[in-house]
Amino acid sequence: MEYTILILVLPFFSFLLLGLGGKRFHPKVAGITGTIVLAVVTILSYVTAIDYFGGGRGADGKFPTCMPYDMTWLPLNDTLSIGMGILLDPISVMMLVVISTVSLMVHIYSLGYMKGETGFQRYYAFLSLFTMSMIGLVVAVDVFQMYVFWELVGVSSYLLIGFYYQKPAAVAASKKAFIVTRFADLSFLIGILIYGYYAGTFSFTPPMQVLVAAGAVIPLALGLMLVGGAGKSAMFPLHIWLPDAMEGPTPVSALIHAATMVVAGVYLVARMFPLFIGFAPDVLHVAGYVGAFTSLFAAVIACVQTDIKRVLAFSTISQIGFMIVALGVCSSDDPHAGGLGYMASMFHLFTHAMFKALLFLCAGAVIHAVHSNEMKDMGGLRKFMPVTHITFLIACLAIAGIPPFSGFFSKDEILVACYGYDPVMGGVMTFIAALTAFYMFRLYYNIFWASWGTPHRKEGSSHLNARGETAGQDGEDPEHRPVPHEAPACMTLPLIFLAALTCVAGFIPFGKFISSDGTAYIIHPDIKVAAISVSVAVAAIIAATLLYKNGKQARSMAGFGGLYRAAYRRFYIDEVYRFVTHKIIFNCISEPVAWFDRHVVDGFMNLLAWVTNVTSGKIKGLQSGAVQQYAVVFLTGALVLIVILLLV
């Protein structure tokens, strides 16, 4: 499978070509070039999956782990070195399919969405860099190679989130994402260094005797790595960067949220699952509790947001929490005895990638039509955007866990794993699943059904204009406003493709390919758990229908008073961060340090310079260049020495 190196190399060359020579290309040529390259990468990824899984299992009943490329990139000592190459196993091959599929859909979609944007070529260059970085992360042969590409993902996300660099909000969002994840990544790096020092290797599967000898240091290292994963996957309290990342282009949001950056932390835990379950199960369980809290926290906030992209952003945080919980409730590497959560987490990662990409791209089509992110500027769009309407509805049904859509199958397995670990955990996650159905159909009805914010107006009607004002208030003739229309084919075709995947992905016998111990696992749906989860989801959808379908009670959540205001303000976590950074760190630490630097450090150096200048001014006469003066000084000194000697 030597051809797999092309999956990593081609996006890199696309980045170089478009990044260095993009301005010489016509924008359409640059976009098509980047898309063709990703199409080739996608085909190679699918061929890799067919070859790998089609090759069958080994004598131990597991798919083999193979390394088509494995080289020593940086030797550190006789035993420790950093590798660079390609590792293929079930989860890395699955991730290749996910990343390439979603990235290709985003490339195609962006041909229409980003048409006419300044920096079109630059945008496609950044997309290629991002895709290459994620591919390098998932096929890494050791944890240090993963870290290298992990940081490249951070750089490329910074570039994409801040693509509209003329907007201060976009610049602030890109810096916020970069800085917050850097703090988490520092913890990740420290964990890697501790792990490498005591284990004597950066391998994902070091010798067992080495790990046993390292003792309690391994849980410490894994815990520090987990903090890095929590930052990248926006777990509480490191989630604050993700909602603001919506300042980037909507296709970028789909790429970051669906299949790549935010699931990197989940992938890290899954990649190192044998180490977690064997040497740090308590760390894994703590991660599960953090994931559960994060999932509930984000779901509550999503129920009251009015910006459609931010609703989806908090939905992503909540769904990533589901994946972390599924891994955190594992107590064994046996899928039949405490290890079901591993398969469930990877299954949900796979299905979520498709329907969350679909949701974001549908949101982009809506924004493309009404030129606003706010629900108050929307409503009744099902009549004008039938393809977007149907595909968005499919994605909503999937994320709500309604059969036979893919989200039902993967979320049901997570709930089964949670109930098996602790009934309370299962109940909490079922409640969060109900909240998910509620806020997603709140979003659906406010966009496609509610009439209170319809951004169009037929002659003689009394609909509101695009700013939610009565027609004519702003001097605009509502009869001449453009009527919302369906997006062009290059944007709707990815929607249809992802919707089709969302409909059928749940029927994939996922456990036959990926499980906690590598052996085949036949999924057996738990009828009782499924009945409960579907019932609460349907009840939540009915509640959302009654409240929001006609738009008459579109602001009904405001009846919750203080809870509504707190949730709308994201429970003031951003304000807490601003207080801690500005009032405590900046005022109490940074300013005193800056004063010490200016007045003590700089003052001491300035004092040295002043003393040197004054002293040199006083003694510079000794080096006058006058020979007669030198002779007088020499004779005077000699006479003084003679007198001293005579006196002694």
Side-chain angles (χ1 to χ4, degrees):
M1 304 176 75
E2 289 81 5
Y3 61 84
T4 52
I5 190 66
L6 295 175
I7 299 175
L8 184 60
V9 170
L10 286 176
F12 178 68
F13 280 118
S14 175
F15 163 68
L16 292 179
L17 177 65
L18 299 178
L20 297 178
K23 289 187 178 180
R24 300 179 183 178
F25 293 115
H26 187 275
K28 183 179 291 186
V29 173
I32 292 175
T33 300
T35 303
I36 290 175
V37 171
L38 251 296
V40 174
V41 169
T42 304
I43 292 171
L44 290 174
S45 297
Y46 277 77
V47 170
T48 300
I50 293 170
D51 286 349
Y52 181 80
F53 290 116
R57 299 176 179 272
D60 58 356
K62 303 177 182 179
F63 287 107
T65 297
C66 56
M67 296 183 183
Y69 284 88
D70 183 19
M71 58 174 286
T72 299
W73 176 50
L74 184 64
L76 300 177
N77 55 39
D78 294 338
T79 59
L80 187 62
S81 64
I82 300 173
M84 192 67 66
I86 293 178
L87 182 150
L88 299 180
D89 69 350
I91 60 171
S92 65
V93 173
M94 179 271 292
M95 287 298 295
L96 285 179
V97 172
V98 169
I99 293 168
S100 61
T101 300
V102 174
S103 184
L104 177 61
M105 293 302 104
V106 168
H107 275 71
I108 296 172
Y109 182 93
S110 297
L111 292 173
Y113 189 89
M114 299 296 291
K115 183 179 180 180
E117 291 280 3
T118 303
F120 190 82
Q121 302 94 322
R122 172 170 52 89
Y123 171 80
Y124 271 88
F126 292 164
L127 284 185
S128 296
L129 177 64
F130 192 101
T131 305
M132 183 273 295
S133 302
M134 270 307 302
I135 290 174
L137 188 156
V138 300
V139 300
V141 297
D142 61 35
V143 69
F144 212 103
Q145 180 187 342
M146 176 183 280
Y147 179 76
V148 171
F149 285 95
W150 185 283
E151 293 302 302
L152 283 174
V153 169
V155 171
S156 49
S157 66
Y158 167 80
L159 296 172
L160 285 168
I161 294 169
F163 176 77
Y164 297 122
Y165 60 86
Q166 304 91 339
K167 292 173 55 180
V171 174
S174 63
K175 291 191 294 185
K176 187 176 185 179
F178 192 79
I179 292 170
V180 171
T181 54
R182 291 292 73 69
F183 279 102
D185 293 353
L186 174 62
S187 175
F188 186 19
L189 177 60
I190 294 172
I192 291 173
L193 296 177
I194 293 174
Y195 173 75
Y197 180 80
Y198 285 96
T201 178
F202 293 117
S203 171
F204 297 119
T205 55
M208 186 62 64
Q209 62 271 20
V210 173
L211 295 176
V212 172
V217 175
I218 297 301
L220 172 63
L222 293 175
L224 290 169
M225 293 185 204
L226 189 60
V227 173
K232 199 71 86 179
S233 289
M235 291 292 99
F236 183 89
L238 300 172
H239 66 284
I240 58 170
W241 66 270
L242 193 57
D244 290 0
M246 298 300 97
E247 294 295 338
T250 301
V252 170
S253 302
L255 189 61
I256 290 176
H257 284 249
T260 52
M261 181 174 177
V262 295
V263 298
V266 179
Y267 182 80
L268 169 67
V269 179
R271 168 58 68 204
M272 308 195 76
F273 181 77
L275 295 179
F276 275 104
I277 206 68
F279 296 90
D282 291 338
V283 175
L284 196 60
H285 299 331
V286 169
Y289 290 117
V290 172
F293 177 81
T294 302
S295 188
L296 176 61
F297 173 84
V300 171
I301 294 176
C303 288
V304 300
Q305 295 299 301
T306 58
D307 182 317
I308 64 174
K309 287 178 66 177
R310 280 179 168 76
V311 173
L312 296 179
F314 281 103
S315 171
T316 298
I317 296 173
S318 183
Q319 295 301 301
I320 297 297
F322 264 88
M323 301 174 203
I324 293 292
V325 168
L327 290 167
V329 298
C330 289
S331 57
S332 168
D333 60 358
D334 182 355
H336 300 278
L340 173 62
Y342 179 93
M343 185 279 296
S345 178
M346 294 298 98
F347 195 12
H348 198 57
L349 188 157
F350 180 80
T351 60
H352 174 265
M354 306 308 166
F355 60 69
K356 184 51 65 70
L358 176 58
L359 286 168
F360 268 107
L361 296 184
C362 285
V366 170
I367 294 169
H368 186 265
V370 303
H371 307 290
S372 173
N373 292 19
E374 291 292 328
M375 293 182 195
K376 67 182 179 61
D377 298 331
M378 301 170 190
L381 293 179
R382 69 188 187 283
K383 303 174 183 177
F384 302 93
M385 307 178 71
V387 175
T388 303
H389 169 236
I390 295 300
T391 52
F392 193 90
L393 177 59
I394 290 172
C396 286
L397 291 169
I399 195 173
I402 302 299
F405 301 98
S406 60
F408 162 75
F409 296 94
S410 57
K411 188 174 291 185
D412 186 66
E413 292 299 314
I414 292 178
L415 294 178
V416 172
C418 290
Y419 277 110
Y421 175 76
D422 184 352
V424 174
M425 179 69 84
V428 170
M429 300 312 294
T430 301
F431 174 70
I432 297 171
L435 286 180
T436 302
F438 177 81
Y439 68 67
M440 286 309 305
F441 275 85
R442 168 183 177 264
L443 180 63
Y444 164 73
Y445 283 121
N446 278 328
I447 294 174
F448 294 104
W449 286 83
S451 59
W452 61 281
T454 307
H456 58 276
R457 174 173 134 112
K458 296 179 181 178
E459 188 171 355
S461 71
S462 58
H463 288 159
L464 304 182
N465 63 26
R467 282 180 287 278
E469 303 165 334
T470 303
Q473 279 186 348
D474 56 359
E476 184 179 41
D477 182 0
E479 278 72 33
H480 292 88
R481 288 182 56 78
V483 176
H485 57 83
E486 191 60 87
C490 64
M491 293 172 64
T492 55
L493 287 177
L495 303 185
I496 295 170
F497 179 79
L498 289 170
L501 288 178
T502 298
C503 291
V504 303
F507 297 99
I508 296 174
F510 199 82
K512 289 186 176 181
F513 304 105
I514 295 174
S515 68
S516 54
D517 65 354
T519 59
Y521 174 80
I522 306 302
I523 295 176
H524 300 288
D526 188 309
I527 301 301
K528 182 179 178 180
V529 172
I532 294 173
S533 65
V534 172
S535 298
V536 299
V538 170
I541 292 172
I542 292 172
T545 302
L546 295 174
L547 290 172
Y548 299 106
K549 181 179 179 181
N550 297 319
K552 295 179 181 178
Q553 301 183 55
R555 296 184 176 88
S556 59
M557 293 298 291
F560 284 91
L563 177 61
Y564 172 87
R565 289 190 295 273
Y568 185 78
R569 296 295 298 272
R570 310 175 195 178
F571 293 102
Y572 305 101
I573 300 299
D574 286 82
E575 286 79 359
V576 171
Y577 268 99
R578 279 195 290 271
F579 176 81
V580 171
T581 54
H582 292 180
K583 301 296 184 181
I584 298 178
I585 297 178
F586 291 171
N587 291 347
C588 300
I589 300 176
S590 300
E591 287 191 7
V593 169
W595 183 91
F596 182 84
D597 180 64
R598 287 193 302 269
H599 294 85
V600 178
V601 177
D602 288 352
F604 177 71
M605 300 307 296
N606 291 336
L607 175 63
L608 292 179
W610 179 81
V611 170
T612 302
N613 284 331
V614 171
T615 304
S616 61
K618 297 296 184 180
I619 66 174
K620 64 182 180 181
L622 298 177
Q623 300 290 333
S624 63
V627 177
Q628 295 89 339
Q629 181 182 354
Y630 293 166
V632 171
V633 172
F634 176 78
L635 291 174
T636 302
L639 291 173
V640 170
L641 290 175
I642 291 171
V643 171
I644 292 173
L645 291 173
L646 291 174
L647 293 175
V648 172

